[in-house]
Amino acid sequence: MYNKITVDILKAITAIVGDAAVITQRADLEKYSHDETEDLSYYPEVVVKPRSAEEISALLKLCNQHLIPVTPRGAGTGLSGGALPVLGGLLISMERFNKILNIDEQNLQATVEPGVITEEFMNAVAAKGLLYPVDPASKGSCFIGGNVAHGSGGPRVVKYGTIREYILNLEVVLPSGDIIWTGANTLKYASGYNLTQLMIGAEGTLGIVTKIVTKLIPHPTVDVLMLASFAANEDACAAVSAIFRAGVIPSAVEYMERRCFEWVREYSGIVFDLKENDAAFLLIEVDGTEMNVILSECEKINSVLEGFGCNNVLFADTAAQKAELWKIRRTIGESVKQHAVYKKEDMVVPRAALPQLIKGIKEIGDRYGFESVCFGHAGDGNLHLNIVKGKMSYTDWDNKLNDGIREIFELTVSLGGTISGEHGIGLVQKEFMPIKYTSVHFELWRGIKQVFDKNNILNPGKIF
C-alpha cells in the first residue's frame, strides 16, 4: 500500500523545510528509531524537523499524494510504542515547536507549542502564581504535545482532574494538510462534536497538534507530604478509597511496594530506612491555601490509615525532605529498568478495586513464574505494573508471558477497569484491546480514522 521515499520526494521534502531540517544518515536516524518502550527499534527513512504548521501541512499533502507513511514524534519518552515508525516512511519530529507563546493571566489560560517540555511550562506558569497540574513522571523530559497525544496524567490529577480538563483548544494539521482549530478558548463548549477531546489520546493518528491552549488555575500556597507504611499491599490499597470516603481529597495518593524502595536505593543511592514489616507505602500530599485546614485533613487521613493497620506515618518537615520523597517516587521506573529484564504495563480500575487487582496480579505472577513490581497513582486507581523476568526461563518469557498479561487485563476489565490509564495503546497494547472493546467499537474507530485520514498515512499500525 505504501511507497518508499524516492530521490525526487526527498528533494520535495527538503524544499519544504530546508536542508538543515532533514536527516537521512542512518547513524543520525538511530535516536528516532526507538522510544522508552522496551528494546523495540524501527528506523524511519527520513526525519524532518519542521518549524511551522504550514510546513507540516505541505509535508502531509506531499505524503498523501505519494502514499508515504508519516509518524509524528515528541520527546520519545513514550511507553507504548506510539512514536515508533513501524512502516518506515517519514518521521516528523516536533522538537523545534518549543515556544510558550502566551500566558494569559486575565483569563487563566496559556498557549503553548507541543515541543515545550512539560516541567518547563509548569515552572513558567508557577512563576506567575498559576498551576498546570498535569505532571507525569517524565515531566522533566517529555513534551506537552506527547502528553496530549497519550492523555497523560500524573500524581496530582486525582485532585485537579486529568489532562482532558485542561486542554481548551488545539491547532491541528490534518492528514489532508488542512489546518484547523478544534474548538474555542472557552471554559464551556456545546457547539457540535468536540474535536478537541477527540484529539486528546488519539496518539497522533488523526492529526498533528501544532498549538495547545490550556486552562490554568491558582497555585496552592502550602502543602503537607506524608509517607505511610503498611504490612501488606492489600491494606495499603484498601486505605486509598477510604481516604476519599472520609471526605478528604488529597492532591496526590501514590502507591509503592517495598521493592520499589529497595531498587531505588540501590540505583540512586538515596538512603531510606526500611523496617522489616514494611511491605507497601502510600505517599500522600494535601495542598491548599490554609495550613490549619490542611492539618485538619491530615488528621482525618491519619485516622483512616490507622484503621488499615498502618505501621508508621512519616511527615516530611522540610522542602528537601519532600523533594527526596518525590524523587524516590519518580525514580522507580528507571531503577526497575536498570535492574532487570522487564515489561511495563499500565491499567486503571475504580480505586476501591485496587486491593483485588494487586492480589490478582501477584497470584497470576506466581502461576506463570514471573515477578512484579507495582506502583502508581492509587488515588485515581491507576496502577503501573513492571513485570520482571526473575527466574522465568527465556522460553517461557518469550512464549507464555503474553498469556499472563492477558489474564491481568482480563482481571482489570472484570473489575470495571481498562487496559491503559495514561501510557496509551500505541503498538504494544493493541493486541489486548478486544478484551475490553467490541467489534462495534472497532468499527466506529475505523470509521473515524477513515474520515480524518482516507489513505491511512498518519501513524499507521497503532491502536488497532
Side-chain angles (χ1 to χ4, degrees):
M1 175 181 176
Y2 299 107
N3 295 315
K4 296 290 186 182
I5 297 176
T6 65
V7 172
D8 288 341
I9 294 173
L10 181 58
K11 288 179 180 178
I13 290 171
T14 303
I16 293 168
V17 297
D19 289 327
V22 179
I23 300 173
T24 58
Q25 295 298 314
R26 188 169 178 84
D28 297 326
L29 295 173
E30 190 278 333
K31 79 170 188 175
Y32 299 96
S33 70
H34 59 84
D35 57 10
E36 294 300 316
T37 309
E38 303 159 21
D39 57 355
L40 301 177
S41 180
Y42 298 87
Y43 277 75
E45 296 168 56
V46 177
V47 170
V48 292
K49 298 188 285 185
R51 186 61 195 91
S52 70
E54 289 72 23
E55 288 180 354
I56 293 176
S57 172
L59 290 167
L60 290 178
K61 287 177 181 177
L62 179 69
C63 291
N64 235 326
Q65 178 186 351
H66 294 282
L67 296 180
I68 305 295
V70 178
T71 304
R73 179 184 173 94
T77 61
L79 295 166
S80 64
L84 299 180
V86 295
L87 297 173
L90 182 68
L91 185 145
I92 296 180
S93 171
M94 301 301 290
E95 60 197 273
R96 295 174 67 199
F97 282 76
N98 57 3
K99 301 286 193 303
I100 298 173
L101 300 174
N102 179 48
I103 299 176
D104 181 353
E105 297 176 68
Q106 295 297 313
N107 290 302
L108 300 187
Q109 296 178 6
T111 303
V112 60
E113 292 183 329
V116 171
I117 293 174
T118 303
E119 188 170 30
E120 292 182 1
F121 177 55
M122 296 175 69
N123 291 340
V125 300
K128 297 180 180 295
L130 300 172
L131 176 67
Y132 174 75
V134 184
D135 59 341
S138 59
K139 66 179 181 178
S141 55
C142 64
F143 291 171
I144 189 170
N147 299 163
V148 171
H150 286 87
S152 301
R156 294 182 177 90
V157 303
V158 63
K159 176 178 180 179
Y160 293 107
T162 71
I163 195 170
R164 291 187 176 277
E165 296 173 56
Y166 288 87
I167 306 303
L168 299 175
N169 202 358
L170 298 168
E171 182 186 69
V172 177
V173 185
L174 301 177
S176 62
D178 292 314
I179 302 173
I180 67 167
W181 282 95
T182 57
N185 299 1
T186 55
L187 296 175
K188 288 184 176 181
Y189 187 85
S191 306
Y193 297 135
N194 194 322
L195 299 180
T196 305
Q197 290 296 314
L198 181 60
M199 289 292 170
I200 299 170
E203 302 186 27
T205 61
L206 302 180
I208 298 179
V209 173
T210 49
K211 289 187 180 71
I212 302 164
V213 180
T214 73
K215 181 177 76 171
L216 304 172
I217 57 177
H219 203 291
T221 54
V222 288
D223 62 74
V224 171
L225 189 63
M226 315 160 60
L227 183 70
S229 60
F230 297 81
N233 286 315
E234 291 92 332
D235 291 340
C237 289
V240 174
S241 64
I243 292 171
F244 292 85
R245 294 198 303 271
V248 180
I249 303 179
S251 50
V253 183
E254 297 290 296
Y255 162 78
M256 300 165 281
E257 64 174 282
R258 180 187 182 95
R259 187 173 294 185
C260 297
F261 279 79
E262 293 173 339
W263 283 8
V264 167
R265 186 168 57 186
E266 292 177 33
Y267 168 69
S268 68
I270 295 175
V271 177
F272 186 85
D273 183 28
L274 288 171
K275 306 300 183 184
E276 186 175 348
N277 63 339
D278 289 343
F281 299 84
L282 292 179
L283 184 64
I284 305 166
E285 180 188 80
V286 183
D287 71 5
T289 57
E290 300 288 341
M291 181 57 79
N292 61 327
V293 174
I294 290 174
L295 292 177
S296 174
E297 292 181 334
C298 288
E299 289 178 7
K300 290 182 182 179
I301 291 172
N302 200 56
S303 296
V304 170
L305 299 178
E306 290 176 354
F308 288 87
C310 175
N311 293 334
N312 183 55
V313 177
L314 168 69
F315 283 83
D317 295 324
T318 66
Q321 286 181 326
K322 293 175 185 177
E324 185 166 87
L325 288 177
W326 276 117
K327 183 178 179 181
I328 291 172
R329 167 61 185 89
R330 295 187 184 278
T331 308
I332 293 171
E334 191 61 29
S335 70
V336 174
K337 183 177 179 179
Q338 296 298 320
H339 272 87
V341 177
Y342 78 108
K343 282 182 71 70
K344 190 182 292 286
E345 304 295 344
D346 161 58
M347 65 281 297
V348 59
V349 294
R351 55 181 167 239
L354 277 172
Q356 296 162 270
L357 178 61
I358 194 73
K359 182 174 184 291
I361 286 172
K362 298 301 181 182
E363 291 174 348
I364 292 168
D366 288 342
R367 287 204 308 275
Y368 281 87
F370 60 75
E371 300 174 24
S372 61
V373 180
C374 299
F375 61 97
H377 313 308
D380 50 26
N382 186 194
L383 192 68
H384 297 326
L385 164 64
N386 290 266
I387 298 174
V388 180
K389 178 179 172 294
K391 296 179 181 178
M392 195 177 191
S393 70
Y394 279 101
T395 299
D396 286 350
W397 181 262
D398 292 336
N399 297 307
K400 295 182 179 180
L401 179 60
N402 268 17
D403 294 336
I405 294 172
R406 182 172 294 278
E407 285 195 32
I408 290 171
F409 285 144
E410 288 171 350
L411 171 64
T412 299
V413 171
S414 75
L415 293 172
T418 190
I419 65 176
S420 179
E422 58 184 12
H423 291 171
I425 301 303
L427 177 67
V428 298
Q429 303 291 51
K430 62 181 183 178
E431 67 176 286
F432 303 111
M433 289 286 272
I435 296 173
K436 170 69 175 176
Y437 299 103
T438 69
S439 59
V440 175
H441 290 97
F442 284 95
E443 183 179 353
L444 289 169
W445 290 332
R446 290 191 176 101
I448 292 169
K449 174 68 168 170
Q450 175 66 20
V451 168
F452 279 83
D453 187 10
K454 290 181 173 58
N455 291 323
N456 193 30
I457 64 160
L458 193 54
N459 215 9
K462 310 297 169 55
I463 303 181
F464 56 86

